[in-house]
C-alpha cells in the first residue's frame, strides 16, 4: 500500500482528455507540500513530467498539466497521443514519515 | 547534459549485500543531493534515502535504517548505495536521482536503474 492513492488505470481514445487523481492526507499534500508527477515509459526510468504542482520542465508538451487542491492533486493529458501510454506516478513529502512518498502509479492506455 | 549512469544488474542470495553505484556527469557533483528510490515489480516508487555529496551527510527512510548505507567518492563523482541482509522482498530496480531543492524537492534526472534480484 502507498501513502498516496492513485487509480490503477485510465484510458482514452487518441485526441481525448484524460485525468488522473492523487489523493493523500493532512501530513503530506494537505500539509502544503507540493506534488510532482513522473512519467515512466515501458522499460525505462521515471522522467519528471510536472514539478511544483503545475510546472512543466523544458521539453514537456503543454498538453500535460497539473493541479492541486486540498489533500489531492490531478494530472491531465489533453489531446491524448499513442506515445502517452505509460505509467504516471505522483510524489510528495510526508511530515509524519519524514520522507518522500508516492503512489503506486496510474497506467494510461490509449485505445 | 546532466547524466546519471548506474552499475549493472546483480543477482544475490538471501542474506547477502549489494552495492550499486551511480556516476554523475554534466554538473557540479557536490552541489546537489542524490536520492535513491527503488521499484519492486508491480509496485510504486519507494524512497530509500539521500546523501549530500559535499558533506557526506545522509538521511535514510525509517524502513531502511540499519540496513542501508549511502556513500560517495567525490574524486570520481560517484554515489554508492549498499543494502544488507537481502531478502526476496528486496528484488527491485534501484534508481539514483538528482535532488532538486525546493519547498518540496523533486527528482530529476534519474539513472537508468539497476535490477537487483534476490534468489536462492
Amino acid at each position: 500500500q502507498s501513502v498516496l492513492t492513485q487509480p490503477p488505470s485510465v484510458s482514452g481514445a487518441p485526441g481525448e482528455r484524460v485525468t488522473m487523481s492523487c489523493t493523500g492526507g493532512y501530513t503530506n499534500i494537505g500539509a502544503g507540500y507540493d506534488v510532482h508527477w513522473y512519467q515512466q515509459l515501458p522499460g525505462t526510468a521515471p522522467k519528471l513530467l510536472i514539478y511544483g504542482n503545475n510546472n512543466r520542465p523544458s521539453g514537456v508538451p503543454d498538453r500535460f498539466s497539473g493541479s492541486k487542491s486540498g489533500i489531492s492533486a490531478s494530472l491531465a493529458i489533453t489531446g491524448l497521443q499513442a506515445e502517452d501510454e505509460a505509467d504516471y506516478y505522483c510524489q510528495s513529502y510526508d511530515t509524519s514519515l519524514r520522507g518522500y512518498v508516492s503512489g503506486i502509479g496510474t497506467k494510461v492506455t490509449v485505445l | 547534459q546532466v547524466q546519471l549512469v548506474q552499475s549493472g544488474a546483480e543477482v544475490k542470495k538471501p542474506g547477502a549485500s549489494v552495492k550499486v553505484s551511480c556516476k554523475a556527469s554534466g554538473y557540479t557533483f557536490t552541489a546537489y543531493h542524490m536520492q535513491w528510490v527503488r521499484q519492486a515489480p508491480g509496485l510504486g516508487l519507494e524512497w530509500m534515502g539521500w546523501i549530500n555529496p559535499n558533506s557526506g551527510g545522509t538521511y535514510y527512510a525509517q524502513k531502511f535504517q540499519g540496513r542501508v548505507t549511502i556513500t560517495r567518492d567525490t574524486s570520481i563523482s560517484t554515489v554508492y548505495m549498499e543494502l544488507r541482509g537481502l531478502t526476496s522482498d528486496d528484488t527491485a530496480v534501484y534508481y539514483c536521482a538528482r535532488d532538486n531543492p525546493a519547498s518540496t524537492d523533486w527528482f530529476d534526472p534519474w539513472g537508468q536503474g539497476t535490477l537487483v534480484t534476490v534468489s536462492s
Side-chain angles (χ1 to χ4, degrees):
Chain A
Q1 68 283 10
S2 294
V3 175
L4 305 181
T5 301
Q6 297 183 253
S9 63
V10 298
S11 62
E16 286 189 345
R17 179 178 186 267
V18 297
T19 63
M20 63 202 80
S21 60
C22 172
T23 303
Y26 293 102
T27 58
N28 41 72
I29 299 175
Y33 292 102
D34 290 340
V35 177
H36 316 303
W37 292 88
Y38 300 88
Q39 177 192 59
Q40 187 174 34
L41 297 170
T44 70
K47 170 194 160 189
L48 182 68
L49 190 69
I50 297 286
Y51 67 93
N53 305 318
N54 55 15
N55 300 286
R56 282 177 286 105
S58 173
V60 173
D62 59 7
R63 24 197 211 84
F64 293 94
S65 63
S67 63
K68 173 192 161 185
S69 178
I71 62 170
S72 296
S74 290
L75 175 69
I77 309 174
T78 57
L80 192 64
Q81 299 184 6
E83 65 203 53
D84 299 333
E85 269 205 355
D87 293 322
Y88 294 82
Y89 295 90
C90 59
Q91 179 197 45
S92 187
Y93 182 85
D94 191 284
T95 187
S96 175
L97 296 173
R98 298 184 183 180
Y100 297 92
V101 293
S102 74
I104 62 168
T106 296
K107 181 175 183 61
V108 170
T109 300
V110 181
L111 302 172
Chain B
Q1 75 285 17
V2 177
Q3 193 172 14
L4 303 176
V5 178
Q6 300 182 221
S7 48
E10 303 261 14
V11 179
K12 296 292 183 181
K13 294 196 180 302
S17 300
V18 68
K19 192 170 187 177
V20 179
S21 69
C22 170
K23 183 173 177 60
S25 61
Y27 70 98
T28 301
F29 176 68
T30 52
Y32 295 85
H33 291 190
M34 192 73 78
Q35 305 275 0
W36 284 89
V37 177
R38 76 178 186 180
Q39 183 174 35
L43 298 182
L45 305 173
E46 186 172 33
W47 173 74
M48 300 180 70
W50 56 255
I51 186 168
N52 177 340
N54 187 43
S55 67
T58 54
Y59 188 83
Y60 304 126
Q62 189 171 12
K63 174 177 179 176
F64 298 102
Q65 283 179 9
R67 211 161 65 92
V68 69
T69 302
I70 302 175
T71 56
R72 94 296 190 208
D73 184 337
T74 57
S75 68
I76 56 172
S77 300
T78 298
V79 172
Y80 303 91
M81 186 284 300
E82 181 180 31
L83 189 62
R84 300 176 293 278
L86 294 170
T87 72
S88 58
D89 289 342
D90 294 315
T91 293
V93 177
Y94 290 76
Y95 295 100
C96 61
R98 194 184 76 170
D99 181 85
N100 290 265
S103 55
T104 307
D105 299 0
W106 65 84
F107 305 163
D108 179 60
W110 295 56
Q112 83 277 19
T114 297
L115 175 61
V116 175
T117 303
V118 183
S119 174
S120 55

